Amino acid sequence: MSVVIVDKNNVLFSETYGNCGNIDVPFIIGSNSKSFTAASIMQLADQGRIDLDAPISAYLPDAREGDKITARQLLNHTSGIRTYDAYENYTVSSGQGIWMYANVNYALLGLIIEAVSGTSYVDYVKEHFFEPLGMNHTYTSLTEAKGDNLIDGYRNYFGIMVKEEVAYPEQKISGWLSIPAGYIISSASDMGKYLQFYLNDGMGILKPESIRAMFYDNVRVNEDASYGFGWSYLESLSEPIFYHNGLVENYISYMFILPESEIGGVILMNCNDYLVGNALTDSIFKGVLSLLLGEEPQHIGANAYEVTHLILNVIYLVITALCLLPLMFIKRWRKRHMNGSHRVRATIGFALLHILVPTLLLVFPQAAGVPYAVIKAFVPDIYMVLVGNAI
């Protein structure tokens, strides 16, 4: 873990934990990339080159349903594109106008930046943000980041962290993965400079009114939170918070700004443990906010990680045992049921057991509204439990 807290001009706190050597070590920052994309759009809007309320077909003539979507809708996730829609086959749903988080929104914004600027997205953010802000450990290339000691990413399997490198989109869009939506690579030290860019009203790179639009031109997410342009707005604490988090298969991140206290901070971590570790990291994030607001942070038990994973593993074992029972008792079952009057009833029961149970296991993610590819990428141990036991 790498943590940096800044005010307008200074680094107030910096520390690394675990196997992170220093605050210059790069991590993949996930959806915290979205604010860079939003800032780029606003910079082009400042120059009069993008109209946020014009159909995106004005900039992307070949965009699917481009006449129905505006850049503003893409920025605050009200385009009607659904969360797990892929770039190759997204549609505008009846939910247009309602907040619905979708990576494809920001993939399209990245393409708009390229079309309007005449340069690639990766070159644009480097020239207009990374270099002016002195972000010397920030990249849009996995190869370049490795040359600067990119920290290894880890995925969780049943409570054990396993070092794994996963696919990086580079300059192409694949499904709902793209650099503009979630694959910028940066260090805590550089992200501190990036947060100071906001604390200092855009530092001449972006107009102050565009910074305010990114924060306050938002739509309601729930009773406590709203979403602007690449930033969420949380109103439930003693001071309003602008924040965002990021998640890829093997990294997680948080960034935040306290506008009244004029303080910002970032937390980067080189692992993804969707069901347990990420929730604990979320508690750390909230604890940092509590400390900065002069409040008592929620205590995290020393064994919370192990205990929660133990409970999950017991559940997985019970499911596995139930699925293995028919194999263990098949000889007894054949002897008892595959003759005489019980044959038809036993055959029906056998068919139901060996069709219904695997089907229920396999359709569970779809029933929960999550595609199997997402389960496999972000919760690989559950994927193994479901598919293995179905087999």
Side-chain angles (χ1 to χ4, degrees):
M1 181 186 285
S2 188
V3 182
V4 165
I5 311 291
V6 299
D7 63 13
K8 283 186 172 184
N9 303 304
N10 303 293
V11 175
L12 305 180
F13 175 89
S14 67
E15 189 60 83
T16 61
Y17 305 87
N19 64 350
C20 183
N22 59 74
I23 60 169
D24 292 330
V25 170
F27 295 67
I28 299 177
I29 66 170
S31 287
N32 280 315
S33 307
K34 289 181 171 68
S35 64
F36 287 92
T37 303
S40 299
I41 289 286
M42 296 307 292
Q43 189 179 62
L44 292 167
D46 284 349
Q47 299 166 6
R49 301 169 72 183
I50 289 180
D51 180 350
L52 299 185
D53 297 306
I56 65 169
S57 56
Y59 313 107
L60 302 174
D62 297 328
R64 187 180 302 105
E65 302 200 78
D67 292 335
K68 299 180 181 179
I69 306 169
T70 67
R72 188 183 302 277
Q73 291 172 328
L74 296 175
L75 285 164
N76 56 30
H77 295 292
T78 58
S79 66
I81 297 173
R82 290 172 289 253
T83 300
Y84 296 115
D85 279 359
Y87 170 73
E88 294 82 1
N89 58 13
Y90 71 85
T91 58
V92 174
S93 71
S94 59
Q96 189 175 52
I98 300 171
W99 184 83
M100 207 166 12
Y101 193 88
N103 281 330
V104 172
N105 288 325
Y106 276 74
L108 288 168
L109 288 169
L111 293 176
I112 291 172
I113 292 165
E114 292 184 338
V116 173
S117 69
T119 188
S120 68
Y121 174 84
V122 300
D123 288 339
Y124 188 92
V125 290
K126 181 178 181 180
E127 178 183 348
H128 293 87
F129 292 94
F130 302 167
E131 291 177 349
L133 294 174
M135 299 176 70
N136 300 319
H137 304 284
T138 302
Y139 305 94
T140 51
S141 163
L142 195 65
T143 301
E144 291 181 10
K146 286 180 178 179
D148 193 19
N149 300 311
L150 170 71
I151 195 166
D152 293 324
Y154 287 74
R155 295 207 292 173
N156 165 72
Y157 290 86
F158 307 104
I160 299 170
M161 289 296 180
V162 178
K163 182 169 66 175
E164 282 191 34
E165 181 178 315
V166 299
Y168 187 83
E170 296 296 344
Q171 295 193 38
K172 65 180 183 298
I173 301 171
S174 176
W176 49 281
L177 305 180
S178 66
I179 292 174
Y183 283 87
I184 286 175
I185 303 168
S186 189
S187 66
S189 57
D190 277 7
M191 290 300 291
K193 297 173 184 177
Y194 179 61
L195 293 170
Q196 288 174 327
F197 153 76
Y198 288 99
L199 291 168
N200 286 286
D201 291 327
M203 298 173 65
I205 297 171
L206 205 58
K207 292 180 179 178
E209 53 265 36
S210 292
I211 295 287
R212 287 192 290 272
M214 291 179 68
F215 290 148
Y216 294 107
D217 192 352
N218 47 40
V219 295
R220 182 62 60 181
V221 174
N222 54 47
E223 62 181 16
D224 295 325
S226 303
Y227 195 94
F229 301 166
W231 285 90
S232 292
Y233 180 48
L234 185 64
E235 304 171 71
S236 58
L237 301 178
S238 59
E239 180 178 334
I241 308 290
F242 301 117
Y243 78 100
H244 211 289
N245 64 337
L247 167 68
V248 296
E249 296 92 328
N250 49 355
Y251 297 85
I252 54 177
S253 64
Y254 291 82
M255 68 176 182
F256 63 89
I257 288 175
L258 306 177
E260 294 177 7
S261 299
E262 297 184 329
I263 292 175
V266 61
I267 301 170
L268 305 178
M269 207 163 176
N270 66 327
C271 63
N272 173 25
D273 178 8
Y274 196 86
L275 294 181
V276 181
N278 294 7
L280 293 174
T281 307
D282 189 63
S283 296
I284 292 172
F285 163 64
K286 292 174 181 175
V288 170
L289 292 179
S290 296
L291 288 169
L292 291 171
L293 294 171
E295 301 168 1
E296 187 69 23
Q298 181 180 356
H299 176 71
I300 301 173
N303 299 317
Y305 184 84
E306 291 85 354
V307 169
T308 309
H309 265 298
L310 179 61
I311 293 169
L312 284 175
N313 288 344
V314 168
I315 294 171
Y316 299 156
L317 282 171
V318 169
I319 294 171
T320 302
L322 291 173
C323 291
L324 287 173
L325 277 176
L327 284 177
M328 296 170 63
F329 292 103
I330 191 162
K331 287 185 178 180
R332 183 185 301 180
W333 181 87
R334 284 172 61 88
K335 183 177 179 181
R336 181 178 299 177
H337 295 293
M338 289 308 287
N339 56 68
S341 60
H342 295 293
R343 181 186 295 271
V344 174
R345 187 172 61 187
T347 302
I348 293 172
F350 186 88
L352 286 174
L353 175 65
H354 292 284
I355 295 173
L356 183 61
V357 173
T359 301
L360 288 174
L361 287 169
L362 292 174
V363 304
F364 173 74
Q366 268 77 13
V370 183
Y372 245 95
V374 176
I375 296 289
K376 185 177 181 180
F378 290 90
V379 206
D381 49 359
I382 286 186
Y383 177 84
M384 293 166 65
V385 169
L386 294 175
V387 175
N389 283 301
I391 291 171

